[in-house]
Amino acid sequence: SRTGNLDAEWPRHQGSAIALGRIAMHAGPAALALHPSFMSHLRGFAAHDHQLVQGSACEAIGRLLQAARKLDAIEPLEPMLIEALPMLADVAGHEAADLRVEGCTVLKQAAKACPAVVRTRLEVVVPPLLTAVKDSNVRVKLSAERTLLHVLELNTRNATLDEFVAKADMASARFVRDYARRVLARLKADSDDEADE
């Protein structure tokens, strides 16, 4: 049956996602030409029905973005990232806490690598993060805070917060502005870089 085949295929898909992320992270400039192909495959894995495949794909996309950023080669990935942001935002709002953390982490990497691209989709990216900062799971909450710091560019571009607030509903606008002032302003932009390596 088709369901049986899907159940049997997920370990292979997860392994492929992990391998693509590792190759992107460690192959250096030799893998640059493959980055768009990697991103295309990983986008598909991020939409997979199995949580472990989704989580591995998000982690691999984060590694790919991190590697491309270090090599100053992010531009070829930007069009695919624009398309992938809604899916990654969905992962950040998933019912499973581990997936919410992975979703937040990959959104943070996207914001670090392509702030202008993420800025075009704030209405999609920010709402699940606002929900996540209220999460009772501390890992989810802290990950969402770090991600919001970068998505809203609080240490580099004040206008991003203002742009989101101008388009958000009144309750979200009030919450995010207050949260940014009370909590996010106290976070250092690079205090989590070791965790990203």
Side-chain angles (χ1 to χ4, degrees):
S1 79
R2 177 153 167 71
T3 306
N5 288 342
L6 285 175
D7 289 344
E9 292 289 317
W10 77 261
R12 188 173 61 82
H13 293 160
Q14 183 188 23
S16 296
I18 291 169
L20 290 174
R22 298 283 166 112
I23 291 168
M25 194 68 179
H26 298 291
L32 278 178
L34 299 173
H35 281 187
S37 176
F38 287 5
M39 182 65 135
S40 178
H41 282 83
L42 291 171
R43 271 190 339 196
F45 292 142
H48 200 279
D49 290 336
H50 200 285
Q51 291 179 16
L52 292 175
V53 178
Q54 279 185 305
S56 295
C58 286
E59 183 178 343
I61 290 171
R63 287 175 184 235
L64 176 62
L65 292 171
Q66 195 174 17
R69 191 171 122 233
K70 285 181 180 176
L71 296 169
D72 197 26
I74 201 71
E75 192 174 333
L77 299 178
E78 289 179 353
M80 286 180 269
L81 182 59
I82 290 171
E83 294 174 16
L85 283 173
M87 179 187 341
L88 300 176
D90 285 346
V91 175
H94 197 276
E95 63 188 31
D98 287 344
L99 270 183
R100 289 196 302 275
V101 170
E102 288 297 343
C104 289
T105 302
V106 73
L107 288 173
K108 179 179 69 180
Q109 288 301 333
K112 286 178 161 186
C114 309
V117 169
V118 173
R119 200 178 306 134
T120 66
R121 300 307 305 267
L122 291 176
E123 77 285 354
V124 172
V125 172
V126 174
L129 297 174
L130 295 181
T131 300
V133 298
K134 301 172 192 171
D135 203 293
S136 60
N137 183 307
V138 175
R139 283 184 59 234
V140 173
K141 177 181 174 54
L142 294 177
S143 182
E145 287 175 353
R146 303 285 329 147
T147 302
L148 264 178
L149 178 69
H150 293 284
V151 165
L152 295 174
E153 300 176 88
L154 295 176
N155 291 323
T156 56
R157 184 179 185 270
N158 293 333
T160 304
L161 175 61
D162 296 334
E163 291 165 7
F164 174 76
V165 166
K167 295 179 182 175
D169 62 83
M170 192 179 299
S172 294
R174 185 175 24 242
F175 176 80
V176 74
R177 190 171 292 285
D178 182 56
Y179 202 79
R181 181 182 49 78
R182 286 185 308 102
V183 179
L184 302 179
R186 297 178 185 185
L187 300 176
K188 294 179 182 166
D190 58 355
S191 64
D192 66 333
D193 283 351
E194 299 82 29
D196 293 338
E197 299 304 322

